[in-house]
Amino acid sequence: MAWNFAAGPARLPDAVLAQAGALFRRSDDGACTIERPFSGPRFRAVLANARQRLAELLDLPSNYRILFMAGGAMQQFALLPMNLARAGQAVAYADSGYWSRRARQEAGWSGPLIEAARHPGATALTAPVAGKWALPADCAYCHITPNETADGIAYPALPDTGAVPLVADCTSALLLAPLAVEKFGLIYASAQKNIGPAGLCVVIVREDLLERSPVALPAVFSYRQQAEAGSCVNTPPMLALEMAALVFEWIAGQGGLPAMAAANQKKAALLYGAIDGSRGFYQAPVEAVHRSPVNVRFQLAADALTERFIEQAAAAGLQHLRGHPQVGGLRASLYNAMPLAGVAALVDFMADFARRHG
Amino acid sequence: MAWNFAAGPARLPDAVLAQAGALFRRSDDGACTIERPFSGPRFRAVLANARQRLAELLDLPSNYRILFMAGGAMQQFALLPMNLARAGQAVAYADSGYWSRRARQEAGWSGPLIEAARHPGATALTAPVAGKWALPADCAYCHITPNETADGIAYPALPDTGAVPLVADCTSALLLAPLAVEKFGLIYASAQKNIGPAGLCVVIVREDLLERSPVALPAVFSYRQQAEAGSCVNTPPMLALEMAALVFEWIAGQGGLPAMAAANQKKAALLYGAIDGSRGFYQAPVEAVHRSPVNVRFQLAADALTERFIEQAAAAGLQHLRGHPQVGGLRASLYNAMPLAGVAALVDFMADFARRHG
C-alpha cells in the first residue's frame, strides 16, 4: 500500500478513479463525451450536472455564477485585474505567503498596488490579522489566499474589507469544509487539489461584478462573456469537467461539505497531534491557530535527518513529503481524497522513525 | 454501429480510447499521472515523451519549439498579438472564412490591422489566392487558417509572406498529412480534432520569435516563459497531454503522417466522389481545388429535404452531419480517427436516400 501526500496535483478519490475509465466508453450515438460537440444537448447536460452539483455542495446564493474555465489558478492571477479593475484603479493584495505573492506578481498590474495586510511578525509563520482592513473605497478588489499551500498557513477568520469585494484563491481550500460564499466577491480554485484533473479552474463570481469585464476583452478571458455563454465561449475542458462532476457526486455521497470538514479535522488533529506529541523530535513551525488544516508543514529538530526521513518514508510507501522548494522542510497534504488510514500510516512511520533516530 | 462525423470535439482512435482507462490505474507509488507533482520525474517523462513523439511525427526542424498550453485555439487568438507584436505595430490577417475572421476579431488588436488577402470571388467558396502577398516589412506577422472547419475551405498552397512570419491556426489540419513546418513562424492547434481531449493546445514556434514576448506578460500567457519552463510555468493539462501522447503513438504505429495523408485522401475522394457522382442530388459548393480534405461541406439540391436527411442519417447511426450554424447545409468531418468504413457507411446511406427521394 502506498500513500501519496502530494500538494497538488494530488490524490483523487478511489471511487472516482474506478468510475473514470467508463468515460471513454462510447454510447449509442457512437461517441463518448469528449468526442461530442460541446454545443450539443448531451454535453450541455454534463455541464449542467457539474454546475448543479457544485452549487448544491456550496449552498450557493442565487446571485453567484459558477464558471468553468480552462487552465489553472495562475491564469486567474492575470485575468482578475483584466476583468475587475479599470486602468489606473487601485487593487489590493494581502501577503500571507508564497502563493499570495505570486498572485500579486502575475497580476502584472500597472496601476496602484496596495498591500492590504501582511504577516504581523518578523517571520512568516502566521496569516495577516483578519480584522477590519482599511482600504480606499475606490479599490477594485482585495485579494487573499485563505490557505497557503506552500507555507502551510491558513487564515483563522476572514478579514472585513467593507465595500471592497473580497477575492480569494481557494485552490487548496475549496470543498474542504462549508464556505460562506456570500462574504466573497469572487472565488477561484484550480481543479488539481480537491476537484479533479489539472486544466480546469472553477470561478465563482457575484453577478454584479460581471458588469466590470471590459467589452474589448477577448471572449475566453472575459468573466462576463463566459457567464453569458454558460462557460461555453469555446470548447471547455470536457474531460476534466466530467471527472469534476464525479468528484462532486462523491462528496455529496459522503455527506457533503460538513462530512468533509469533520473527516479533515480528524486527519489534521491526528497528524498535528503526532508532531506536537513527539517531544520536539518533529516541529510544526506555524503558530497553532494559523496552521493549515490541509497542508501540514513540519520539520525535524535534527535537520540533518530530513533527507533520510524522506527516503525511508518513500521506501515505506509514504510519497511526496518534501516541503515546497521555496519553504523547505516537510509537508503532508491531506485533501478530501486522503483517507484517515493514510494519515495513520504516516503517523505510525513517524513514531517508528523517531524511535530509531531519537 | 454508429459513426460520429462531428467537426470537433471529434472521434478519437478506438485504440486510444481502449488504452485510456489505464491512465487511472495507480502505480507502485500510490498514484496515477494526474495525481503526481507536475515537477516530478514521472510527469516530466510523460511530457518529454509527448514532445518527442510529436517532433518525430512532424520531422520538426531543430529551431522550433513545441509548447503544450492550456485552453483552446481561441485563447491563442488573444495571445498571438500579446506575444508577437509591439504596441502600434501592424498585424496582418487573411480572410478565408468564419474561423480566420474570429481569429482577427478575438485578437482585440488596437494597432493597425491589415487584410492580407481574401476570397477572390463574390461568394466565399474559395481560399485567397496563395501567391506573393504584399505586406509592409515591419508587419509583426501574417495569420492564415489553412483549413476552415466551418466553411469547408482549404488553401491549395501556402502564400509567400516574405520576411513577415506566417502564423497559422492548424487546429483542423495538424497531423492530417506531412507539414512543411519551416514555412511557418508559428503554428497552433487545439487538441479536439486530431490530438486528444479539449483543454490542450499545441503551439509550435520558431525560436527567434520567442524573444518578442514582452517581459511584463503574465508567465502563463508568455510563449517565451512557457518555452523556458518546458511548458511547465504552472501545472499543464496532464490528462489531455497523456492522451495526446497515446494519439501520437497511434499515428506513428499506423505509419506516421504519410500513412495518415494516404488514408485521408482515400476518404475524401470517396465522399466527394459520391457527391459529384449524384447527378446534382448532392452538391459540394466549394470550388474543387479549394475543398477541405477533412471537413466535407455539402448540401442537397432540394434544400427542403435537409432536415429529413439529418434525421434519417442519425437514425441510421450517422451522427453530427449538420453544417456549422454560420454556414448551413451539411458537413462530414473525416479526421484521422475516422476509418474508411465510416465514410463508406455514409456514402451508402446517401445513395439510398437519393434513391428514395430523387
Side-chain angles (χ1 to χ4, degrees), chain A residues 157-170:
Chain A
L158 290 176
D160 175 4
T161 56
V164 176
L166 186 60
V167 168
D169 179 357
C170 287

Side-chain angles (χ1 to χ4, degrees), chain A residues 2-4 6-14 17-18 20-21 23-38 70-75 78-79 82 102 106-108 192 196-199 216-221 225 233-240 243 317 319-320 337, chain B residues 2-4 6-14 17-18 20-21 23-38 70-75 78-79 82 102 106-108 192 196-199 216-221 225 233-240 243 317 319-320 337:
Chain A
W3 297 105
N4 161 27
R11 187 181 167 90
L12 289 164
D14 297 346
L17 290 186
L23 302 178
F24 302 122
R25 266 184 233 138
R26 293 197 176 115
S27 188
D28 56 324
D29 64 341
C32 57
T33 296
I34 55 170
E35 299 181 306
R36 293 200 187 104
F38 75 96
M74 272 186 70
Q75 178 150 330
L79 298 189
M82 288 165 71
R102 286 298 297 275
E106 295 292 331
Q192 63 266 27
L217 206 55
V220 281
F221 293 158
Q225 291 192 63
V233 158
N234 65 340
T235 317
M238 296 170 136
L239 185 52
M243 287 192 69
Q319 304 285 341
H320 303 304
Chain B
W3 297 104
N4 160 27
R11 188 181 165 90
L12 289 164
D14 297 346
L17 290 186
L23 302 178
F24 301 121
R25 265 185 234 137
R26 293 197 177 116
S27 188
D28 56 325
D29 64 341
C32 56
T33 296
I34 55 171
E35 299 181 307
R36 292 198 188 106
F38 75 96
M74 273 185 71
Q75 178 150 329
L79 298 189
M82 287 164 72
R102 287 298 296 277
E106 294 293 330
Q192 63 265 28
L217 206 55
V220 280
F221 293 159
Q225 292 192 62
V233 158
N234 65 341
T235 318
M238 296 170 135
L239 185 52
M243 287 192 69
Q319 305 284 342
H320 303 305

Side-chain angles (χ1 to χ4, degrees), chain A residues 273-329:
Chain A
I275 295 163
D276 293 340
S278 71
R279 301 186 194 187
F281 186 86
Y282 301 105
Q283 299 169 342
V286 177
E287 289 190 18
V289 71
H290 294 269
R291 286 175 179 175
S292 166
V294 66
N295 305 109
V296 178
R297 178 176 160 193
F298 61 111
Q299 60 205 27
L300 291 157
D303 189 43
L305 289 174
T306 302
E307 289 305 315
R308 200 179 305 175
F309 179 92
I310 291 171
E311 212 171 273
Q312 293 188 8
L318 304 162
Q319 304 285 341
H320 303 304
L321 288 166
R322 189 185 296 281
H324 189 278
Q326 297 295 321
V327 171

Side-chain angles (χ1 to χ4, degrees), chain B residues 275-310:
Chain B
I275 294 163
D276 294 339
S278 70
R279 301 188 193 185
F281 186 86
Y282 301 105
Q283 299 167 342
V286 177
E287 288 190 18
V289 70
H290 295 269
R291 286 176 178 173
S292 165
V294 66
N295 305 109
V296 178
R297 177 177 161 194
F298 61 111
Q299 59 204 28
L300 290 156
D303 188 43
L305 290 174
T306 302
E307 289 305 315
R308 200 178 305 175
F309 179 93
I310 291 170

Side-chain angles (χ1 to χ4, degrees), chain A:
Chain A
M1 193 65 176
W3 297 105
N4 161 27
F5 292 95
R11 187 181 167 90
L12 289 164
D14 297 346
V16 170
L17 290 186
Q19 287 169 281
L23 302 178
F24 302 122
R25 266 184 233 138
R26 293 197 176 115
S27 188
D28 56 324
D29 64 341
C32 57
T33 296
I34 55 170
E35 299 181 306
R36 293 200 187 104
F38 75 96
S39 54
R42 294 206 192 202
F43 178 67
R44 291 304 164 109
V46 169
L47 191 62
N49 175 54
R51 198 186 288 119
Q52 173 71 15
R53 286 184 181 281
L54 181 56
E56 281 170 11
L57 286 176
L58 290 169
D59 200 5
L60 196 73
S62 62
N63 60 329
Y64 284 77
R65 299 288 284 274
I66 294 173
L67 312 181
F68 294 113
M69 297 181 71
M74 272 186 70
Q75 178 150 330
Q76 301 303 322
F77 294 172
L79 298 189
L80 285 173
M82 288 165 71
N83 277 278
L84 300 180
R86 293 186 316 275
Q89 197 177 7
V91 299
Y93 284 77
D95 176 355
S96 53
Y98 178 76
W99 282 107
S100 56
R101 286 192 294 271
R102 286 298 297 275
R104 183 177 61 192
Q105 173 197 339
E106 295 292 331
W109 189 237
S110 57
L113 253 171
I114 295 168
E115 186 167 78
R118 63 180 309 164
H119 305 279
T123 56
L125 298 171
T126 63
V129 178
K132 186 158 174 54
W133 290 354
L135 296 166
D138 67 340
C139 188
Y141 59 84
C142 177
H143 183 278
I144 64 167
T145 307
N147 183 80
E148 288 277 4
T149 319
D151 304 83
I153 289 172
Y155 282 75
L158 290 176
D160 175 4
T161 56
V164 176
L166 186 60
V167 168
D169 179 357
C170 287
T171 292
S172 54
L174 197 69
L175 305 184
L176 288 177
L179 185 72
V181 175
E182 69 280 3
K183 297 201 171 159
F184 298 89
L186 186 146
I187 291 164
Y188 61 102
S190 68
Q192 63 266 27
K193 317 285 189 188
N194 269 316
I195 297 173
L200 170 69
C201 194
V202 168
V203 177
I204 299 168
V205 54
R206 211 176 60 208
E207 273 175 356
D208 63 288
L209 295 178
L210 293 173
E211 291 159 26
R212 294 196 190 178
S213 299
V215 173
L217 206 55
V220 281
F221 293 158
S222 164
Y223 294 147
R224 185 176 49 74
Q225 291 192 63
Q226 288 284 10
E228 284 169 2
S231 305
C232 285
V233 158
N234 65 340
T235 317
M238 296 170 136
L239 185 52
L241 245 163
E242 229 184 346
M243 287 192 69
L246 293 179
V247 173
F248 300 153
E249 199 174 327
W250 174 80
I251 293 174
Q254 302 289 306
L257 298 186
M260 291 295 112
N264 288 327
Q265 222 160 8
K266 230 180 195 168
K267 284 148 48 184
L270 179 59
L271 183 48
Y272 280 116
I275 295 163
D276 293 340
S278 71
R279 301 186 194 187
F281 186 86
Y282 301 105
Q283 299 169 342
V286 177
E287 289 190 18
V289 71
H290 294 269
R291 286 175 179 175
S292 166
V294 66
N295 305 109
V296 178
R297 178 176 160 193
F298 61 111
Q299 60 205 27
L300 291 157
D303 189 43
L305 289 174
T306 302
E307 289 305 315
R308 200 179 305 175
F309 179 92
I310 291 171
E311 212 171 273
Q312 293 188 8
L318 304 162
Q319 304 285 341
H320 303 304
L321 288 166
R322 189 185 296 281
H324 189 278
Q326 297 295 321
V327 171
L330 301 160
R331 175 179 54 175
S333 293
L334 316 177
Y335 301 108
N336 288 337
M338 173 60 68
L340 189 63
V343 186
L346 173 58
V347 164
D348 285 351
F349 170 82
M350 287 167 67
D352 184 57
F353 186 89
R355 249 190 316 275
R356 286 185 286 114
H357 298 91

Side-chain angles (χ1 to χ4, degrees), chain B residues 144-172:
Chain B
I144 65 167
T145 307
N147 184 80
E148 287 278 5
T149 319
D151 303 84
I153 288 172
Y155 282 76
L158 290 176
D160 174 4
T161 55
V164 176
L166 187 61
V167 168
D169 179 357
C170 287
T171 291
S172 54

